[in-house]
Amino acid sequence: MYHLKLEAKKVQSFIFKVPILKYMIGANSALGEFFNYDLVELKKRYESLDESKIKKINEIFSEVYGKIEICPYDNVFENAKAGVFSASGGHFETIFSKKENLIKFYENVIEKAHQKIPGIMLKFELHCIYFEDENNFENDSDEVISELEEIEKNKTENIVNNPYFEICKKDGMNHIKISKESDENKESSENIKKIYKQRKRFIKLEGKEILCNFYKENIEQFGNNLDIGEFSALCSKKDKNKKNNYYALIAMDGNSMGKRFNEKLEEIKPEESSNDSPCKDITEIKNLIKIEKFWYESRKNIREALKYSIKEIKNKFNFIILMMGGDDILIATEPKYAFDFVKKFNEYFSEFKDKITFSSGIAFINHNYPFNYAHEIAEECLSSAKTRLKNIKDKNNITSIDWHINYDTYKRPLNEIRNKDYVLYYENEENHLDILSGRPYLINLDTAKESSEFEEIYEKVKKLAEKIKKDEKADKETIEKTNGRNKILEYYFSLKKGIEYSDEIRKFIFQNTDFDEILPKTKKIKLNDKYINKNNSYDVIELLDFFMEEGEKI
């Protein structure tokens, strides 16, 4: 039999280049439906397995999965009976008995991809597998590969690798002439129409992909979040003219997933084929089912963790799930709930035997900022958090988090921002440094142990916000009402002049108040020949706006 693998390349680039949320949702839905549903249906159309092969696959499936309850919209069992062993996350694997059926299938795959996900890059791999009754199967995989490559070459159109690049049919024409036309004449391109139509199907819960079905299953709990079409709906401050109109973009990734996946591969090595032929035998089918079980359980765990997190945050809040894979997730939400979401998500896994944890990167972004840059910032924060965790020997129930509040109108690398904005260098004192941030932070998920670095900072943010609001409520005079805020801001700006200087200012402006007790204290560190002052007050003060009452700001 022919074993075909299909994989989508540059998926995130394809979906997230566009700055408009409603089109992202449509593109993500179209891509998910293509792999979760369309390819499976195409496989069934062009070739079904005979009864003997289905019976054998049933036996293998029962042996590998046991009595695990299978999700009806992530139905790996029904897929396996159709000869499909992976159909999610931009990855598809299937088997064919006949070459002519495989060729027809691939021709239609390319056509369907151009119609539904124009511009996405698809790559394929092909090798052969022997079923028990196919010892005379001719291994002509090289010849078939050549035919598939020819199909790909002939059917691939010269289109930009982004479905929204051609926003309207007038693209490429003189923009002055177009601007004089009425809006009624500015017709959207066919690509835009398709993507927007797919988005409408998604919000009506008519999509066939896993994510849409997940929303449908939990619609009562998730509320009306399906219909969010702009990032401004996720902002904690509803006045679009305010500078602090931010939403939170959370990127999460499973820790040590590569290690656990490699351990799974090690488990199945003893089942490698003993056949001398270059083709692989029936044990390869079993291996495929074992590998898909690993990813199926990972996808299921992420769905359950999402449900748990959203349920545990008692307040109704706005969010939109942008990506939901086997080991990663991307979600946009209101800033106030971002940290609680991360904590609850990891909390779900705290009782797992395998001690699964997820590192997190959060970008707090103005809703007008280009999304592809916002996504890069969130991914940079995630990478920073994972790097911090790599240096920890005992990772049991420990994970990490990093975040960045973006004040720039243009994109700067995170390392550059941290070095220029959060580290003070002294011209005449090369060995003296001031560090104004403690990010990334570790999160201790074991509640029996002492609170983690992150927990301490997060508690200080909430205490400081409460202190300011309490003081203002007690004092009716306008002058006194702004006093606490002014003191916090004065101290915040003094840190830029040097930590030793700000410590002196702090003594003066915070005398007879609780602010001094709440804000982090300066730590003096001697590292080799370096003399370092470190104070994490920036990390607390910069987050305050998200925890004030609506319309208020520091």
Side-chain angles (χ1 to χ4, degrees), residues 314-350:
K314 304 302 181 186
N315 297 329
K316 288 285 183 182
F317 66 105
N318 291 325
F319 66 89
I320 188 76
I321 302 167
L322 296 168
M323 287 187 67
M324 184 179 69
D327 64 343
D328 58 357
I329 183 170
L330 187 70
I331 183 169
T333 185
E334 296 178 52
K336 186 176 181 178
Y337 301 104
F339 292 130
D340 285 337
F341 175 84
V342 167
K343 285 172 57 184
K344 294 299 180 183
F345 191 91
N346 275 290
E347 187 181 284
Y348 173 78
F349 295 100
S350 59

Side-chain angles (χ1 to χ4, degrees), residues 124 153 199 296 306 318 358 392-393 481 527 536:
F124 75 86
K153 181 181 175 183
R199 187 249 178 183
Y296 171 78
L306 272 167
N318 291 325
F358 281 73
I392 304 299
K393 289 183 180 179
K481 185 175 181 181
L527 184 64
N536 298 343

Side-chain angles (χ1 to χ4, degrees), residues 486-535:
N486 288 342
K487 287 179 178 180
I488 295 294
L489 285 174
E490 186 178 351
Y491 174 60
Y492 176 78
F493 291 120
S494 73
L495 284 161
K496 268 293 184 183
K497 297 178 181 179
I499 287 179
E500 290 180 357
Y501 169 79
S502 69
D503 282 348
E504 293 301 315
I505 293 292
R506 178 174 176 151
K507 290 176 189 175
F508 175 71
I509 61 176
F510 291 151
Q511 60 182 335
N512 302 321
T513 73
D514 295 334
F515 293 130
D516 188 53
E517 289 302 314
I518 297 173
L519 285 163
K521 302 286 196 300
T522 297
K523 294 180 180 179
K524 298 185 182 294
I525 304 166
K526 189 79 168 79
L527 184 64
N528 299 325
D529 62 338
K530 297 284 186 186
Y531 166 57
I532 301 170
N533 288 323
K534 187 176 182 183
N535 190 301

Side-chain angles (χ1 to χ4, degrees), residues 124 144-155:
F124 75 86
V144 177
I145 287 171
S146 296
E147 290 191 48
L148 296 182
E149 286 174 344
E150 193 64 26
I151 292 168
E152 192 176 50
K153 181 181 175 183
N154 292 336
K155 287 188 175 287

Side-chain angles (χ1 to χ4, degrees), residues 172 180 185 207 226 239 247 257 380 383 415 464 479 495 529:
K180 291 179 180 179
N185 293 329
L226 272 169
D239 181 354
Y247 69 94
M257 284 296 286
E380 284 180 289
S383 177
N415 285 339
L464 198 56
I479 265 184
L495 284 161
D529 62 338

Side-chain angles (χ1 to χ4, degrees), residues 422-448:
Y422 294 88
V423 179
L424 301 180
Y425 301 91
Y426 293 84
E427 265 185 44
N428 301 322
E429 301 178 56
E430 292 182 2
N431 295 335
H432 181 192
L433 287 177
D434 284 354
I435 300 176
L436 306 178
S437 173
R439 289 169 276 168
Y441 289 100
L442 296 178
I443 302 177
N444 181 8
L445 301 170
D446 189 344
T447 53

